[in-house]
């Protein structure tokens, strides 16, 4: 069954927040270059913020609120998008929906982050907003600068903090220079950036303990896993939204987590059960991502068919084939993300990261190995990959060559991600090695894509109802993909020598 499409709309916003004292006001904004008029008004906003009992959303820098007042009343969820930017999901009020119940559409998108736990009211914020809209010569909105007087009530203890802050949001067609110009005026008045990424974080942030600063190798692994966990969770939401490249991002994060745990399991005495669960997740996501890549690859390759009428028929066949398969693959991916097994995987990952942060002193030596031990794990893995590369040239036929190239590719990926974990030990050497591994992975990736493309082309040809034009075109594409595979295999050994040489500096 095809996953239902949500009525939730999506927008991107870039915003900066500043802390102001009760007696600080906005400076004169009329002198900013490009600003020809300023619309001023005041609005009253009321927002109810929801979260799990352990604030899982806020821990992932996500907010979920019901807001009344202003131009965008409704349910909102804001997701981190890097830097000063956020992705906002907006769900309008429904007359037949209870006012204090979060819409299923938003809860479903956040299911992986909240671990399927219920959400409840965590804080209530009332804001008197003094709004200044900066407009350009054509009337376009350059930025919205607001002075907010906020009163909050938090559910856990009925505390009622009050404060004043300033927000500056970039207009839809403006560039960052307008934000810089406003910030320059604010700084001149002693107004500085807020340490809180959101209003609700200012209210509830003290309930989330800051991660312990962990020195040494355990810190490197803990921080790497925590970063990739966050990437996995944000990708989870993007997959549910059917955002471009979301499955790719999620599968890559799962692979990075698995590779790090697999490589350093013995060094840190880690139970490898989570490795198998991450491998399962990757397998479940693979069909959707592979179909996306192959559809784009073969659709672009159609341009290399010499006869125009053959191109059109071949492209139509390819589109029909991949569209049908992609619908089923997406349904499988969403089913996976909604499963208890996946949610348990995330919980277990949380537990592992927490354990790395609080290692008993008596186990310090076991769980916090010296750098040389981790470098030894890198060396051992590199030698295994070397053996896999060497075996490619000994393959008795093309089919076996393809399989051995695939095994070399998987081993190389694992090695690359393992190097990422210990990059803080030798930043420059690790950066050089990772650059070389990017080149090596590009070669192996192109080869593997050509193998998979050939399999899909044969599958398409086996279907009924082909015209002579599409059959010819598919045959041409198969020949082109075979030639690409041969070209990549020729350069395998020399590319590996460069990658291995750069990696060797990490253990010598």
């Amino acid at each position: 069954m095809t996953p239902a499409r949500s009525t939730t709309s999506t927008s991107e916003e870039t915003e900066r927040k500043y802390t102001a004292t009760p007696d600080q006001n906005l400076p004169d904004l009329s002198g900013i270059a490009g600003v020809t008029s300023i619309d001023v008004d005041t609005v009253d906003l009321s927002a109810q913020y929801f979260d799990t009992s352990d604030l899982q959303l806020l821990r992932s820098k996500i907010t979920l609120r019901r807001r009344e007042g202003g131009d965008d009343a409704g349910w909102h969820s804001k997701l981190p998008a890097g830097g000063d930017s956020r992705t906002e999901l907006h769900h309008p009020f429904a007359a037949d929906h209870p006012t204090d119940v979060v819409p299923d559409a938003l809860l479903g998108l956040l299911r992986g982050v909240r671990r399927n736990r219920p959400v409840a009211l965590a804080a209530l914020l009332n804001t008197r907003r003094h709004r200044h809209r900066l407009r350009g010569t054509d009337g376009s909105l350059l930025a919205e600068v607001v002075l907010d007087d906020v009163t909050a009530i938090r559910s856990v203890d009925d505390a009622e903090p009050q404060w004043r802050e300033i927000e500056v949001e970039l207009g839809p067609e403006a560039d960052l220079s307008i934000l810089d110009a406003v910030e320059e005026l604010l700084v001149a008045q002693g107004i500085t950036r807020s340490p809180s990424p959101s209003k609700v974080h200012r209210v509830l942030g003290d309930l989330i303990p800051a991660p312990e600063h962990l020195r040494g190798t355990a810190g490197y692994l803990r921080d790497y896993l925590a970063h990739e966990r966050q990437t996995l969770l944000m990708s989870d939401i993007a997959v549910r939204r059917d955002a471009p490249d979301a499955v790719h991002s999620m599968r890559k994060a799962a692979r990075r987590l698995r590779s790090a745990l697999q490589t350093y399991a013995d060094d840190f005495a880690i139970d490898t059960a989570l490795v198998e669960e991450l491998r399962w997740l990757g397998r479940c996501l693979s069909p959707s991502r592979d179909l996306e890549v192959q559809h784009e690859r073969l659709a672009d390759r159609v341009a290399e068919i010499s006869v125009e009428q053959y191109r059109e028929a071949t492209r139509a066949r390819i589109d029909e084939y991949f569209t049908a398969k992609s619908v089923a693959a997406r349904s499988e991916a969403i089913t996976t993300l909604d499963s208890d097994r996946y949610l348990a995987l995330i919980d277990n990952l949380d537990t592992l990261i927490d354990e790395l942060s609080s290692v008993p002193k008596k186990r310090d030596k076991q769980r916090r190995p010296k750098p040389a031990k981790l470098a030894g794990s890198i060396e051992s893995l590199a030698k295994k990959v070397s053996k896999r590369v060497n075996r490619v040239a000994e393959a008795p036929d093309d089919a076996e060559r393809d399989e051995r190239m695939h095994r070399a590719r998987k081993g190389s990926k694992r090695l690359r991600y393992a190097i990422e974990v210990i990059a803080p030990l030798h930043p420059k050497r690790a950066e050089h090695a990772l650059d070389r591994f990017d080149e090596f992975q590009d070669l192996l990736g192109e080869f593997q894509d050509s193998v998979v493309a050939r399999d899909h082309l044969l599958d398409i040809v086996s279907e009924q109802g082909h015209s002579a034009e599409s059959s010819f075109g598919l045959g041409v594409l198969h020949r082109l993909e075979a030639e690409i595979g041969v070209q990549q295999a020729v350069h395998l050994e020399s590319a590996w020598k460069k990658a291995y040489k750069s990696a060797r500096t990490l253990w010598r």
Side-chain angles (χ1 to χ4, degrees), residues 107-244:
L107 283 179
L109 290 175
L110 301 176
R111 187 173 188 179
V113 179
R114 61 187 177 87
R115 314 294 194 276
N116 214 26
R117 301 178 181 116
V119 299
L121 181 64
L124 172 65
L125 276 70
N126 292 312
T127 302
R128 165 70 49 106
R129 170 162 289 180
H130 308 281
R131 187 166 54 181
H132 295 66
R133 291 175 168 173
L134 313 186
R135 299 194 180 277
T137 54
D138 58 355
S140 62
L141 180 64
L142 301 178
E144 182 173 283
V145 184
V146 302
L147 180 69
D148 287 343
D149 291 309
V150 188
T151 300
I153 303 174
R154 68 182 196 176
S155 299
V156 67
D157 55 9
D158 293 329
E160 297 187 24
Q162 298 181 18
W163 72 93
R164 169 170 282 192
E165 69 179 38
I166 294 170
E167 293 182 359
V168 185
E169 182 176 343
L170 188 67
E173 304 298 329
D175 60 55
L176 290 175
S177 62
I178 190 73
L179 298 189
D180 295 336
V182 174
E183 180 164 304
E184 186 177 347
L185 292 176
L186 294 174
V187 171
Q189 290 196 180
I191 299 172
T192 58
R193 289 279 194 108
S194 172
S196 297
S198 64
K199 286 181 173 65
V200 72
H201 184 274
R202 179 162 182 160
V203 177
L204 301 173
D206 64 300
L207 301 176
I208 302 175
E212 176 189 351
H213 176 65
L214 197 58
R215 295 187 300 172
T217 54
Y220 301 150
L221 182 61
R222 191 275 307 271
D223 293 347
Y224 185 84
L225 296 178
H227 179 272
E228 293 306 323
R229 173 188 58 185
Q230 177 70 0
T231 301
L232 187 78
L233 293 176
M234 294 304 101
S235 299
D236 170 312
I237 299 172
V239 170
R240 296 174 191 273
R241 291 170 44 219
D242 201 16

Side-chain angles (χ1 to χ4, degrees), residues 12 45 87 95 99 121 191 203 216 237 277 305 353 366 483 485:
E12 303 295 325
L45 308 172
T87 299
T99 59
L121 181 64
I191 299 172
V203 177
I237 299 172
E277 292 304 284
I305 298 174
I353 292 172
Q366 181 182 13
E483 291 173 352

